[in-house]
């Protein structure tokens, strides 16, 4: 039995319901279902997508109709040193050119099931670009009517990509939070499925396949450090889910540190972490940043993000705009053209003291989406 559960209030709701948040605290849902161990030897004969880890994923009867072959992205070395090494996982090589495909395919498969059961008329999403693009693409694959809310000033290339998939775009004046509020108002309308990469936990169970792939690629072990960019924390929380599952099922004894990276211009989680807080403090002024995809001043899952980083002995790092520019050009000279948000982790690793063992950074979005940072 699969059901939503509020991590704060412990209120449950059927996963078939269109209720997108806890009715008591309005917070995001977690997901309860019975996962099972993934057999490493069996993976060699399985299809080349994230559905190869189906034992660990929520039941998805329409998965094969929606998949675009997402997942299984390459892991390539970036830096070899005496103290440790750094490799990059090329998640910008997904069908829509960003890691958000991992979660969007889960949302689309779930929404398709709801639509075929009746009562779902449209899908609504909000995004600074990449999540909206992924939802639009997988929504098109599933034959769903999609409406994507984006902040005014979103990259024209990302808007073009969303529209190319047939989704309708609503540009919202103001910042990313104003966009989320507008989408949530639309999500409250009858017959609407809110394909939120923040509030809907199906998305997190898609992003956790990032770590399952590292585990498979490394022959049943994990890196010593996993570095992830954090705005709303969907990749980090997915990684934390996978680490817990792999350990609980006895598939690895490794306990990698989760290192979270934010832009210095918008770093509420880093500030809370280093202050020893469990929640965010008063909202700080939002400054412009090249890392638009992680410029989130008030992430709804802040408590869970802070707890996950601390549980692994990890930390938060921040990067400046100049460091982002330099990192993007450095990666391009290495043959990897990555958007400015997606280079934040490489910028942080370059600036920080080397960590022992293997460190893995994700390159989350293609440079073609935004171009070189000015």
């Amino acid at each position: 039995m699969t059901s939503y559960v509020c991590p704060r209030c412990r209120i449950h709701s059927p996963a078939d319901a269109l209720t997108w948040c806890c009715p008591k605290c309005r917070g995001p849902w977690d997901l309860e279902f019975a996962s099972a161990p993934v057999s490493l030897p069996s993976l060699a004969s399985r299809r080349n997508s994230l559905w190869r880890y189906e034992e660990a994923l929520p039941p998805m009867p329409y998965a094969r109709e929606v998949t675009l072959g997402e997942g299984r992205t390459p892991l390539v070395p970036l830096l070899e040193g005496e103290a440790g090494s750094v490799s990059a996982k090329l998640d910008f090589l997904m069908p829509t050119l960003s890691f958000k495909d991992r979660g969007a395919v889960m949302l689309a498969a779930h929404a398709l099931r709801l639509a075929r059961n009746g009562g779902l008329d449209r899908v609504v999403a909000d995004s600074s670009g990449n999540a909206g693009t992924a939802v639009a693409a997988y929504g098109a694959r599933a034959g769903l009517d999609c409406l994507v809310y984006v902040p005014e000033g979103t990259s024209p290339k990302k808007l073009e990509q969303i529209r190319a998939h047939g989704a309708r775009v609503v540009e919202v004046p103001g910042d990313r939070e104003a966009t989320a509020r507008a989408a949530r108002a639309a999500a409250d309308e009858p017959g609407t499925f809110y394909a939120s990469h923040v509030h809907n936990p199906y998305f997190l169970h898609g992003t956790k396949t990032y770590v399952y792939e590292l585990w498979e690629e490394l022959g049943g072990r994990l890196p010593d450090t996993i570095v992830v960019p954090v705005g709303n924390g969907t990749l980090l929380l997915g990684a934390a889910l996978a680490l817990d599952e792999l350990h609980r099922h006895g598939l690895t004894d490794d306990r990698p540190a989760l290192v979270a990276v934010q832009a210095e211009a918008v770093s509420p989680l880093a500030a809370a972490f280093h202050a020893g807080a469990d929640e965010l403090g008063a909202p700080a002024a939002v400054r412009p940043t090249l890392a638009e995809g992680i410029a989130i001043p008030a992430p709804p899952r802040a408590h869970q993000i802070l707890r996950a980083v601390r549980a692994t002995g990890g930390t938060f790092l921040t990067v400046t705009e100049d460091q982002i520019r330099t990192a993007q050009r450095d990666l391009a000279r290495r043959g990897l053209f990555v958007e400015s948000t997606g280079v934040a982790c490489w910028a942080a690793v370059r600036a920080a003291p080397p960590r022992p063992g293997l460190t893995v950074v994700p390159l989350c979005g293609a440079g073609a989406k935004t171009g070189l940072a000015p």
Side-chain angles (χ1 to χ4, degrees):
M1 182 69 179
T2 304
S3 65
Y4 294 134
V5 58
C6 175
R8 290 185 182 273
C9 307
R10 305 310 301 173
I11 290 175
H12 286 72
S13 174
D16 289 346
L18 293 177
T19 306
W20 59 266
C21 66
C22 172
K24 182 177 180 181
C25 71
R26 301 287 287 178
W29 293 120
D30 282 351
L31 196 67
E32 288 187 347
F33 69 99
S35 65
V38 176
S39 167
L40 185 62
S42 73
L43 293 176
S45 62
R46 297 193 184 186
R47 59 189 182 279
N48 204 32
S49 79
L50 61 80
W51 302 105
R52 65 198 286 109
Y53 312 112
E54 61 184 348
E55 296 97 330
L57 297 174
M60 286 284 170
Y62 298 112
R64 286 175 174 79
E65 294 183 40
V66 175
T67 183
L68 290 167
E70 58 291 322
R72 296 284 285 156
T73 54
L75 184 66
V76 300
L78 283 182
L79 183 67
E80 297 286 345
E82 292 183 7
S85 60
V86 181
S87 290
K89 190 155 174 58
L90 310 189
D91 260 25
F92 67 89
L93 298 179
M94 291 282 195
T96 77
L97 308 182
S98 95
F99 89 95
K100 296 289 176 61
D101 290 7
R102 292 186 185 277
V105 66
M106 300 289 290
L107 293 178
H110 182 54
L112 180 58
R113 181 167 71 90
L114 298 181
R116 291 188 173 169
N117 288 342
L120 189 155
D121 301 319
R122 65 172 183 168
V123 171
V124 165
D126 60 288
S127 168
S128 60
N130 284 339
T133 298
V135 169
Y138 285 93
R141 181 77 168 175
L144 300 169
D145 180 39
C146 292
L147 184 64
V148 180
Y149 287 74
V150 300
E152 208 169 48
T154 294
S155 164
K157 291 293 185 183
K158 291 181 179 179
L159 296 180
E160 183 178 10
Q161 195 179 4
I162 293 169
R163 292 188 174 109
H165 293 305
R168 291 168 289 151
V169 174
V170 179
E171 294 188 62
V172 180
D175 60 12
R176 182 67 182 80
E177 290 302 305
T179 304
R181 287 193 297 270
R184 290 167 196 163
D188 284 330
E189 297 178 11
T192 301
F193 175 71
Y194 186 23
S196 171
H197 59 292
V198 182
H199 281 78
N200 194 299
Y202 277 93
F203 196 94
L204 303 181
H205 285 276
T207 60
K208 77 181 181 186
T209 60
Y210 176 87
V211 167
Y212 273 90
E213 288 178 20
L214 292 177
W215 170 75
E216 180 184 359
E217 178 81 10
L218 297 174
R221 66 182 185 90
L222 291 168
D224 299 277
T225 305
I226 298 174
V227 186
V228 289
V230 173
N232 278 308
T234 54
L235 182 53
L236 183 140
L237 291 173
L241 280 172
L243 295 180
D244 287 345
E245 289 174 4
L246 287 166
H247 192 266
R248 187 172 71 250
H249 291 314
L251 298 174
T252 181
D253 292 326
D254 300 330
R255 285 289 199 177
L258 289 175
V259 174
V261 177
Q262 295 206 287
E264 188 178 90
V266 187
S267 52
L269 289 160
F273 179 88
H274 291 298
D278 294 327
E279 300 284 357
L280 298 183
V286 176
R287 291 179 285 154
T289 177
L290 296 166
E292 60 180 7
I294 53 174
I296 309 296
R301 293 187 185 268
H303 177 77
Q304 291 175 294
I305 295 166
L306 293 166
R307 184 179 61 193
V309 173
R310 290 195 176 104
T312 66
T315 190
F316 270 82
L317 302 174
T318 60
V319 290
T320 67
E321 301 304 293
D322 283 343
Q323 287 173 325
I324 292 171
R325 290 186 184 92
T326 301
Q328 188 184 39
R329 284 164 172 75
D330 177 72
L331 282 173
R333 286 191 293 270
R334 296 168 186 263
L336 301 166
F337 188 29
V338 183
E339 68 172 337
S340 50
T341 296
V343 306
C345 290
W346 177 235
V349 167
R350 279 167 47 92
R355 297 180 70 95
L358 173 62
T359 294
V360 173
V361 300
L363 303 182
C364 295
K369 287 172 170 280
T370 57
L372 274 175

